[in-house]
Amino acid sequence: MPLYPEVEPYDHGMLDVGDGNHVYWEVCGNPRGKPAVVLHGGPGSGSGPFFRRYFDPAAYRIVLLDQRGCGRSTPHASAYDTDMSVNTTAHIIADLERLRRHLGIEQWLVWGVSWGSVLGLRYAQTHPGAVSELVLTAVATGANRETALLTRGLGQFFPDAFERFLAELPEDGREGNLAAAYNRLIESPDPEVRARAARAWTDWETAMAPAPPRSIPRYEDPVFRMGFARTVTHYWGNDCFLGEGNEEGVVLRDAPLLEDIPGTLVHGGLDPGNLLGTVWRLHHAWPGSELIVIDDVGHNAGAADVADALVAATDRYAAAR
């Protein structure tokens, strides 16, 4: 089932969400269609036009946004004077509710990828009445053990890259939460220290990517690189702002709260998160979910078979109005 053709927004704007932040949003598709909101990954990756193509534009009113500090939202996390203390999971969830009310939407389907799946799950757990369905891919829950896997556990599979990743840190920062240690460097008043840390962080992210290719073009943009590295380390260094008890996962613990919300989980069989069994545990703890595992695919929402399953899910939910 192919992706839908490219469409352009018919409305867009900058929503004042407080704390000096303005969140970019756009809407495309059918103004009278079933509302759906897209939650991008990262945190800090920003949205893009490709996400619009997972939805039938004749059936859906498709809402995209750039979460605080990234994409076209302001202020951008790449700017040293941007206040990151007002960029947390709770803040973004509040932004979603503010945007939903601003657009006059009662309920919307929530579509999320990677970090967007964490955010979508937590949003649905705290505002279940606002969510008609969930469609999630490259699924994560934001648990501390997931962060530890990605920042330390995978080092045994990529030893050379991991050695370079550790070497950028001072010796007293090489134990414990590596994201927090990197975030301290990225928050340094010295711009050279910040730049080196952001580059080292994205080099590690690149090392974990499938080969070929071994490069990720967006990381070559210094503004994106700094904003992304700063935001990811800010979240991963602070338990994804999910509160106490996040070692095994607050989102996973609260999965029963999703009981009345239908959901589809589309996940790659080669996703590194499978080493922890996260998506299977979530599926079994969430009575209203279906799990679709795509063999020979990693952490990749754009893979053809993954995209087919995602489009099939949104097509099916389009009829449930």
Side-chain angles (χ1 to χ4, degrees):
M1 184 173 296
L3 292 165
Y4 283 98
E6 295 182 5
V7 291
E8 293 299 319
Y10 64 80
D11 196 10
H12 69 278
M14 298 289 288
L15 182 67
D16 185 345
V17 293
D19 311 309
N21 279 265
H22 291 78
V23 166
Y24 172 83
W25 60 268
E26 64 182 39
V27 188
C28 59
N30 183 351
R32 293 175 294 281
K34 179 186 179 80
V37 63
V38 173
L39 304 180
H40 63 71
S45 291
S47 196
F50 187 79
F51 291 126
R52 306 168 190 158
R53 302 184 62 195
Y54 290 105
F55 302 87
D56 180 351
Y60 277 98
R61 181 185 178 194
I62 311 157
V63 181
L64 284 78
L65 72 149
D66 291 331
Q67 296 158 29
R68 288 193 182 205
C70 68
R72 292 148 289 188
S73 294
T74 60
H76 200 272
S78 61
Y80 179 64
D81 60 355
T82 294
D83 181 4
M84 297 299 288
S85 73
V86 292
N87 191 333
T88 70
T89 303
H91 284 97
I92 299 177
I93 287 174
D95 295 347
L96 289 173
E97 278 296 274
R98 191 185 296 261
L99 178 59
R100 182 179 66 84
R101 292 191 298 268
H102 175 74
L103 296 175
I105 293 172
E106 182 177 352
Q107 268 194 331
W108 48 14
L109 179 150
V110 175
W111 189 104
V113 54
S114 191
W115 158 253
S117 66
V118 180
L119 184 58
L121 288 162
R122 197 58 182 160
Y123 174 66
Q125 289 170 347
T126 53
H127 297 280
V131 180
S132 57
E133 301 91 9
L134 285 159
V135 177
L136 308 175
T137 189
V139 181
T141 66
N144 291 354
R145 63 202 302 262
E146 295 172 25
T147 298
L149 172 69
L150 294 174
T151 55
R152 188 182 296 278
L154 293 183
Q156 61 187 311
F157 299 101
F158 308 100
D160 291 342
F162 186 64
E163 183 176 332
R164 293 191 296 271
F165 181 58
L166 282 183
E168 198 63 36
L169 294 170
E171 289 191 12
D172 61 0
R174 297 175 188 176
E175 300 295 330
N177 188 316
L178 296 179
Y182 260 94
N183 187 250
R184 288 192 290 272
L185 294 180
I186 291 173
E187 295 295 344
S188 167
D190 186 335
E192 291 188 8
V193 171
R194 296 199 302 271
R196 283 180 57 87
R199 169 57 81 178
W201 181 269
T202 57
D203 283 351
W204 172 241
E205 295 247 5
T206 302
M208 294 186 287
R214 277 295 188 185
S215 65
I216 299 176
R218 64 183 184 170
Y219 294 157
E220 299 310 309
D221 176 348
V223 173
F224 178 90
R225 182 170 64 239
M226 178 59 71
F228 175 80
R230 188 182 188 194
T231 305
V232 173
T233 59
H234 172 65
Y235 274 79
W236 287 10
N238 287 285
D239 307 326
C240 287
F241 298 99
L242 291 170
E244 294 184 6
N246 198 43
E247 182 59 37
E248 290 296 315
V250 169
V251 167
L252 192 60
R253 179 199 69 195
D254 291 347
L257 297 176
L258 304 169
E259 181 177 6
D260 296 328
I261 302 175
T264 298
L265 307 168
V266 181
H267 200 67
L270 299 180
D271 191 301
N274 293 339
L275 294 171
L276 302 175
T278 299
V279 72
W280 284 271
R281 295 169 69 197
L282 174 64
H283 169 55
H284 288 293
W286 176 10
S289 68
E290 66 168 340
L291 173 60
I292 301 169
V293 178
I294 308 297
D295 294 336
D296 301 324
V297 173
H299 196 75
N300 182 3
D305 289 346
V306 172
D308 287 349
L310 291 168
V311 170
T314 59
D315 280 355
R316 186 171 67 254
Y317 289 134
R321 297 191 59 181

